[in-house]
Amino acid sequence: MKSDGQIEKQICSKIFDNREFGFLKITVERSLRLNFQVSEDRLARLSEQKAFQDLATSKKRKDAQVQQLEMEMGESLQNQILDALRCLDGDRLYMSRAEFMRDLDKVLKDAGLKLKEPVIKAILAALGEADPEAEICRDKKGNPEPDSNLRDTEIVPLPDDITLPIPLGYDKDASVDELIKLVKKHCEVYFEAEVLPHVPDAWIDFSKTKVGYEIPLNRHFYVYQPPRSLDEIENDIKTLEADIMAMLGEVV
């Protein structure tokens, strides 16, 4: 075809397999790292935690006296928790959640407090802050816990050797187990090349893997056009400058 007076060859159509329009959306997790401190600023945040607030509420709507008694007992428990927490060194910055939990358990035990799991989580949420220098927070099995604030996704093309239809159900609770068997190695190769060099502590949560399809027109049909030479651009600028000066001269 002719373009700017020049005959050039351009690709106007292509034929693709359906597979080439598919992609995998993988979820990349990173380790949760928190520091902990029993400072007054962080203790103040505890009152904002719902589980802590609920200690001083009552569901006894029909009996005002019982309701008031439960609320007073809850407020007393809140104050006991705060007093126990203040037994810890407020200036110390814990860089390990496990170490902080050991000291927390000790002061609660000394105070005779046995708190439910939601209240413990509220304490950790109020007194903890994200810190890339802190130790990794781990679950009971020793596995690193993910930081939802650092969660990201990557788009990975389908493997060249995969055939359609993909073994994947599209109902709400569909399993991705059969799909993962086909694409796990492919995703890991991509992950090691494109993600791990930048975030070494990351991993793939394969249970969140999604499949999508798109027609990437730019990727398949974009033709690179080299920029004009610097000399050509400079000549255009000089021409424009001369035109501007001429017009200014007429105005003056």
Side-chain angles (χ1 to χ4, degrees):
M1 62 180 295
K2 182 178 290 188
S3 175
D4 295 331
Q6 301 293 324
I7 300 298
E8 60 181 42
K9 182 179 180 180
Q10 291 189 359
I11 298 175
C12 299
S13 64
K14 292 182 178 180
I15 297 176
F16 299 95
D17 292 330
N18 288 339
R19 171 188 52 76
E20 297 184 63
F21 298 122
F23 63 86
L24 301 163
K25 184 178 182 180
I26 61 173
T27 298
V28 178
E29 301 282 13
R30 294 182 60 188
S31 301
L32 177 65
R33 297 174 183 267
L34 300 172
N35 68 43
F36 295 87
Q37 189 175 31
V38 194
S39 64
E40 289 301 320
D41 288 342
R42 299 195 190 190
L43 282 174
R45 299 198 303 237
L46 184 55
S47 63
E48 302 171 1
Q49 296 293 320
K50 186 177 185 304
F52 187 78
Q53 294 172 349
D54 288 346
L55 293 175
T57 61
S58 173
K59 297 181 180 179
K60 305 294 184 181
R61 304 301 181 192
K62 296 182 179 181
D63 192 325
Q65 289 185 338
V66 174
Q67 183 184 45
Q68 183 63 29
L69 179 60
E70 286 189 347
M71 292 173 63
E72 291 175 355
M73 292 176 62
E75 290 175 0
S76 175
L77 178 55
Q78 288 176 333
N79 290 328
Q80 291 178 61
I81 293 172
L82 292 172
D83 290 341
L85 292 173
R86 288 190 175 98
C87 292
L88 294 169
D89 183 357
D91 294 326
R92 179 176 177 182
L93 186 65
Y94 290 83
M95 302 298 284
S96 166
R97 188 178 68 180
E99 189 174 356
F100 174 72
M101 283 297 300
R102 285 194 293 269
D103 288 356
L104 175 63
D105 290 341
K106 184 179 184 305
V107 295
L108 292 178
K109 183 178 180 180
D110 291 345
L113 298 174
K114 188 174 182 179
L115 305 179
K116 295 182 179 180
E117 188 66 23
V119 181
I120 296 295
K121 289 182 177 180
I123 293 173
L124 295 177
L127 304 184
E129 289 186 357
D131 186 342
E133 302 300 322
E135 289 186 14
I136 295 174
C137 297
R138 300 182 181 275
D139 61 22
K140 295 179 180 179
K141 296 181 179 180
N143 300 315
E145 295 181 11
D147 186 339
S148 59
N149 292 321
L150 299 178
R151 183 173 294 143
D152 203 355
T153 58
E154 291 282 331
I155 300 300
V156 183
L158 290 180
D160 293 335
D161 57 352
I162 199 170
T163 58
L164 300 181
I166 291 176
L168 178 68
Y170 291 93
D171 54 292
K172 180 180 178 182
D173 299 318
S175 171
V176 294
D177 292 346
E178 292 301 317
L179 172 66
I180 299 308
K181 290 179 182 178
L182 291 176
V183 303
K184 185 175 182 180
K185 183 61 179 178
H186 174 72
C187 292
E188 288 175 339
V189 170
Y190 173 92
F191 181 73
E192 290 173 3
E194 302 295 336
V195 179
L196 282 184
H198 308 288
V199 281
D201 66 336
W203 71 91
I204 302 174
D205 184 349
F206 283 104
S207 67
K208 296 184 175 73
T209 302
K210 305 291 183 182
V211 176
Y213 292 87
E214 66 174 350
I215 302 177
L217 295 175
N218 286 339
R219 181 171 50 179
H220 291 306
F221 291 96
Y222 172 74
V223 178
Y224 173 72
Q225 298 291 338
R228 295 187 300 162
S229 67
L230 293 178
D231 290 340
E232 186 180 353
I233 295 174
E234 183 179 9
N235 290 334
D236 284 350
I237 293 174
K238 289 179 178 180
T239 300
L240 289 172
E241 289 176 343
D243 291 343
I244 292 172
M245 293 303 296
M247 287 187 290
L248 290 176
E250 293 177 1
V251 172
V252 174

